[in-house]
Amino acid sequence: MMDMKTETWTAVAPVGLIIRQKDPNNLEMPFDQLSGFITPSELFYIRSHFPVPQLDPAAFRLSIRGAVWNELSLSYADIRAMHSRTGVATLECAGNSRVFLAPPVPGAQWELGAVGNAEWTGVPLSALLEIAGLADDVCDIVLQGADRGVPKEEPKPPGVISYARSIPRARATEPDVLIAYQMNGRDLTPDHGYPLRAIVPGHYGMSSVKWLTDIVATTRPFQGYWQTSDYGYWDDSEGIPVRRPLAEMKLKSQIARPRVYERLQPSRPYTIFGVAWAGDTDVTEIWISLDGGASWVQGDFVDPIRRHAWRRWKYDWITPAQPGRYTLLARATGADQRTQPDGHNPNFGSYVIDHPLPIEVFVAAL
Ligand code: MTE
């Protein structure tokens, strides 16, 4: 078992991912393996819609165009030679924990492991946009990857499309949005976007476009497939339903240990261990329920607040003397005093599963 203070993965620990889909690989972390603040790259989930494009760094170009004063075409070496910035950011796939929805919904049946926390190094997108010079009326920055294919979900576009997402100009020009080439101090692996990917801290993972080849400034809101048909949600505008792109991650907490249906000894100390994160606030409190939500006790954070990075937490429990089935829940509160909702909001469809997730365990003498 892991020492919670250990920051790195020890050699004895099992490292490996769970297959949710093969070709393209969609793999999740066995979340009970949570240990350090940083998720080792080998344990970081992989979410790819199309086959991994093979990009030769020697021939690679990053194009910056659209409503800019100076169009740019940069080589990988150009990017590597620029002033870099390193930051820690949690990425959660918007469909993480989908398997907890009942009745079941279509899509990869992620459990708890489509989330990870890594250290990313690259060039701030703002630095590139500054060199290119944005026109006054630019509203969106589109990030396009080199991967291509036909999406499986309806409504299908007319043919082969690329993976592309936009972020609003105001977010794109903040210094923490990176065009990253390293993850946890090593060059990106092909699965995680080699040679370059975007990292948009605080957003669901879908904004962090991998295999990035094109940055396009637009003067009208971008309406691409991956933020309208997919990765969108229903909002309300003056009483009229409107479709909007998913963006910031919602406040969420997860229990890593114990795991579902784990058997625990009665009347013994057991440390419940997990993480909590948020996209647009800081996580300030963590509450645990040991009785399916009837009552709540406060847990302790292992990590300090660090914007856009998760915080590990723990709760030292003495398991009940009474054998039986117990439902554990975790619920985080943010600096904005908001807390996780009681249930899933159907306006988010099969995304944004941010309510406290029940972990049922058995207390029984072995
Ligand atoms: N970028 C491209 N080009 N193609 C993709 O399929 N998937 C997105 C995003 N960037 C994707 C992409 C989604 S949905 C997520 S959750 C994250 O990448 C996952 O990043 P990871 O595979 O490095 O964990």
Side-chain angles (χ1 to χ4, degrees):
M1 199 29 87
M2 206 63 38
D3 170 3
M4 253 162 243
K5 294 194 189 78
T6 310
E7 283 299 307
T8 50
W9 197 250
T10 57
V12 290
V15 173
L17 299 170
I18 302 167
I19 301 177
R20 292 286 162 233
Q21 191 193 323
K22 196 77 192 120
D23 292 334
N25 270 342
N26 283 281
L27 313 177
E28 76 171 282
M29 172 185 172
F31 207 64
D32 63 315
Q33 300 298 308
L34 178 77
S35 173
F37 172 64
I38 296 292
T39 310
S41 304
E42 296 74 16
L43 271 178
F44 204 99
Y45 78 96
I46 294 165
R47 199 324 171 212
S48 300
H49 288 271
F50 303 134
V52 173
Q54 302 303 316
L55 299 174
D56 171 9
F60 178 85
R61 306 302 295 186
L62 174 65
S63 150
I64 305 174
R65 56 177 200 278
V68 296
W69 296 112
N70 316 299
E71 295 205 342
L72 303 175
S73 169
L74 302 171
S75 69
Y76 182 59
D78 292 335
I79 298 283
R80 295 289 303 231
M82 289 180 71
H83 188 69
S84 73
R85 179 181 163 130
T86 297
V88 175
T90 296
L91 290 194
E92 184 196 15
C93 182
N96 185 36
S97 322
R98 186 175 282 143
V99 77
F100 284 86
L101 295 182
V105 294
Q109 296 300 302
W110 303 109
E111 295 185 16
L112 300 170
V115 60
N117 189 56
E119 186 185 72
W120 310 96
T121 300
V123 174
L125 172 59
S126 57
L128 301 178
L129 296 178
E130 199 151 313
I131 301 169
L134 294 178
D136 287 348
D137 53 351
V138 165
C139 65
D140 280 352
I141 303 296
V142 182
L143 306 168
Q144 179 174 242
D147 50 333
R148 288 189 170 28
V150 181
K152 288 184 200 67
E153 296 81 18
E154 297 289 346
K156 286 185 191 155
V160 168
I161 61 167
S162 63
Y163 186 90
R165 276 285 299 195
S166 75
I167 47 175
R169 175 185 187 148
R171 185 72 190 97
T173 48
E174 283 181 285
D176 62 333
V177 177
L178 295 181
I179 304 307
Y181 46 77
Q182 286 197 329
M183 174 183 190
N184 295 337
R186 277 180 284 151
D187 289 355
L188 293 170
T189 61
D191 282 319
H192 290 297
Y194 179 82
L196 289 183
R197 74 174 301 170
I199 292 293
V200 185
H203 273 217
Y204 283 109
M206 83 266 130
S207 296
S208 293
V209 175
K210 303 191 279 189
W211 313 293
L212 184 72
T213 52
D214 299 83
I215 299 174
V216 186
T218 67
T219 54
R220 292 203 190 157
F222 180 65
Q223 303 279 7
Y225 175 87
W226 306 101
Q227 57 203 66
T228 52
S229 287
D230 205 358
Y231 297 115
Y233 69 99
W234 289 106
D235 196 12
D236 176 281
S237 171
E238 313 288 341
I240 302 170
V242 287
R243 197 90 182 132
R244 296 204 199 282
L246 290 173
E248 280 83 14
M249 295 185 292
K250 301 283 186 197
L251 176 71
K252 183 165 172 179
S253 56
Q254 289 189 172
I255 296 172
R257 290 193 292 276
R259 61 190 113 145
V260 172
Y261 271 40
E262 189 164 329
R263 191 156 75 156
L264 308 174
Q265 292 272 30
S267 306
R268 294 277 177 85
Y270 185 98
T271 300
I272 302 173
F273 181 45
V275 283
W277 66 91
D280 55 3
T281 187
D282 293 323
V283 181
T284 51
E285 288 173 22
I286 182 73
W287 293 84
I288 317 301
S289 176
L290 308 161
D291 53 13
S295 63
W296 297 83
V297 288
Q298 201 160 3
D300 298 314
F301 286 106
V302 178
D303 301 308
I305 292 177
R306 190 161 164 178
R307 201 71 209 264
H308 294 142
W310 70 21
R311 298 181 79 182
R312 291 169 299 162
W313 54 261
K314 66 184 181 70
Y315 177 74
D316 293 322
W317 187 30
I318 303 293
T319 57
Q322 182 69 35
R325 178 169 153 162
Y326 292 83
T327 300
L328 312 185
L329 299 164
R331 170 175 257 158
T333 304
D336 56 5
Q337 297 310 317
R338 280 184 297 171
T339 188
Q340 295 177 244
D342 289 333
H344 178 245
N345 179 346
N347 288 352
F348 290 114
S350 61
Y351 292 120
V352 188
I353 299 98
D354 62 338
H355 58 285
L357 303 170
I359 302 295
E360 287 132 1
V361 296
F362 293 98
V363 171
L366 291 181

